[in-house]
């Protein structure tokens, strides 16, 4: 499947919609404009790709709503060359948005089928991320510390290991709460043992689950 002028036109309308909902960081909007979301959707759902909605991607998971991707990315305040850890690779859409912003991305997925699918698909359209199959609650100790850490599933408790894998000055964005809805939480590491926490409204994510599938 290709990225046509029609797709680009639909994407422009989506980006304007997302801007209208309060996303002001032009780097985020430009990244959204570049990623061909229709290529990340299952066949049959492709025609809905430029609606501002989440959609199923198999294995009971979803590709996040573009507004939510933009909101999390804006909070993360990604800079060029940042080393970013993403928990929940899923379709790889968020990974691609981070890469369009110039980040080097390490991404972890606990569902084996999704991990296998996305680690072969994303590089095929030019996004060479570093893919890992495992439990994101554990982070990636071997590659720590990170400038930025983004959790794209709802965590019932604060993932303390992720906080410890942040650089000083680094930022962690994680939706926190029970299965009903989660509070978008932003943590800035001020020093070795000082963290500043702010909250940014309620969202609904699929759950961050412990362990990985076989
Ligand atoms: N960033 C994705 C969002 C996918 S939904 C996208 O843009 O499409 C969240 C993903 O997190 C799901 O694929 C789910 O399987 C994964 N996930 C849930 N718990 C996890 C964990 N502990 N470690 C890694 N991935 C996890």
């Amino acid at each position: 499947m290709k990225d046509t002028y029609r797709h680009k036109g639909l994407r422009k309308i989506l980006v304007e919609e997302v801007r209208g909902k309060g996303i002001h960081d032009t780097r985020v909007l430009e990244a959204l404009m570049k990623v061909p979301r229709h290529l990340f959707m299952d066949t049959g759902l492709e025609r809905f790709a430029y609606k501002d909605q989440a959609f199923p991607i198999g294995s009971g998971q979803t590709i996040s709503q573009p507004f939510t991707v933009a909101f999390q990315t804006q909070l993360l305040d990604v800079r060029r060359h940042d080393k970013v850890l993403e928990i929940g690779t899923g379709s790889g859409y968020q990974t691609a948005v981070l890469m369009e912003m110039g980040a080097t991305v390490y991404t972890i997925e606990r569902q084996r089928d999704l991990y296998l699918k996305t680690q072969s698909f994303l590089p095929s359209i030019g996004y060479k991320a570093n893919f890992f199959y495992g439990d994101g609650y554990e982070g990636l100790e071997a590659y720590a510390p990170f400038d930025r850490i983004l959790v794209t599933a709802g965590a019932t408790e604060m993932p303390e290991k992720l906080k410890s894998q942040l650089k000083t000055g680094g930022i962690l964005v994680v939706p926190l709460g029970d299965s009903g809805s989660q509070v978008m939480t932003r943590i800035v590491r001020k020093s070795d043992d000082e963290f500043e926490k702010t909250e940014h409204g309620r969202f609904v994510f699929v759950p961050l689950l412990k362990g990985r599938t076989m």
Side-chain angles (χ1 to χ4, degrees):
M1 204 190 302
K2 290 197 300 262
D3 191 25
T4 63
Y5 279 111
R6 192 181 69 86
H7 291 119
K8 289 195 179 86
L10 291 170
R11 205 142 68 231
K12 182 115 187 70
I13 295 168
L14 172 67
V15 167
E16 287 314 316
E17 188 178 342
V18 167
R19 191 202 302 272
K21 290 177 180 172
I23 304 300
H24 47 76
D25 187 332
T26 50
R27 298 169 305 162
V28 174
L29 295 168
E30 279 165 17
L32 236 55
M33 188 59 214
K34 287 184 186 146
V35 182
R37 190 171 189 250
H38 61 286
L39 300 182
F40 294 74
M41 308 273 291
D42 284 349
T43 29
L45 289 177
E46 185 251 339
R47 65 186 185 283
F48 301 122
Y50 295 107
K51 284 189 178 295
D52 190 23
Q53 286 175 20
F55 287 99
I57 52 172
S59 308
Q61 303 306 321
T62 55
I63 175 169
S64 300
Q65 183 183 344
F67 172 73
T68 305
V69 170
F71 192 86
Q72 286 200 294
T73 310
Q74 180 170 276
L75 275 182
L76 202 63
D77 194 19
V78 179
R79 304 155 306 177
R80 292 214 145 262
H81 310 301
D82 268 352
K83 190 168 140 191
V84 180
L85 174 62
E86 178 194 20
I87 312 301
T89 313
S91 67
Y93 178 66
Q94 171 77 71
T95 316
V97 170
L98 292 169
M99 293 190 74
E100 286 291 1
M101 294 188 69
T104 302
V105 184
Y106 294 73
T107 183
I108 314 179
E109 174 57 54
R110 69 177 290 280
Q111 294 259 5
R112 192 172 160 78
D113 293 351
L114 275 178
Y115 158 76
L116 290 172
K117 183 171 161 190
T118 303
Q119 65 118 26
S120 82
F121 164 69
L122 259 196
S124 80
I125 59 165
Y127 297 108
K128 295 187 175 55
N130 302 286
F131 299 93
F132 298 86
Y133 165 53
D135 180 1
Y137 258 112
E138 302 294 320
L140 271 185
E141 193 60 57
Y143 296 87
F146 296 94
D147 297 295
R148 302 287 187 261
I149 302 180
L150 176 59
V151 182
T152 71
T156 51
E157 56 192 77
M158 175 59 77
E160 293 296 334
K161 284 201 182 152
L162 298 184
K163 277 168 71 178
S164 74
Q165 293 178 20
L166 273 180
K167 285 184 191 169
T168 299
I171 301 173
L172 163 68
V173 172
V174 53
L176 275 182
D178 60 25
S179 56
S181 75
Q182 301 85 31
V183 175
M184 192 65 81
T185 308
R186 184 183 200 250
I187 304 279
V188 181
R189 185 169 203 169
K190 293 290 186 184
S191 68
D192 258 11
D193 53 5
E194 273 175 291
F195 295 86
E196 181 185 271
K197 175 173 138 180
T198 52
E199 296 182 337
H200 304 268
R202 287 202 166 267
F203 289 79
V204 180
F205 283 84
V206 297
L208 185 71
L209 300 171
K210 292 213 166 131
R212 58 179 198 187
T213 63
M214 292 307 286

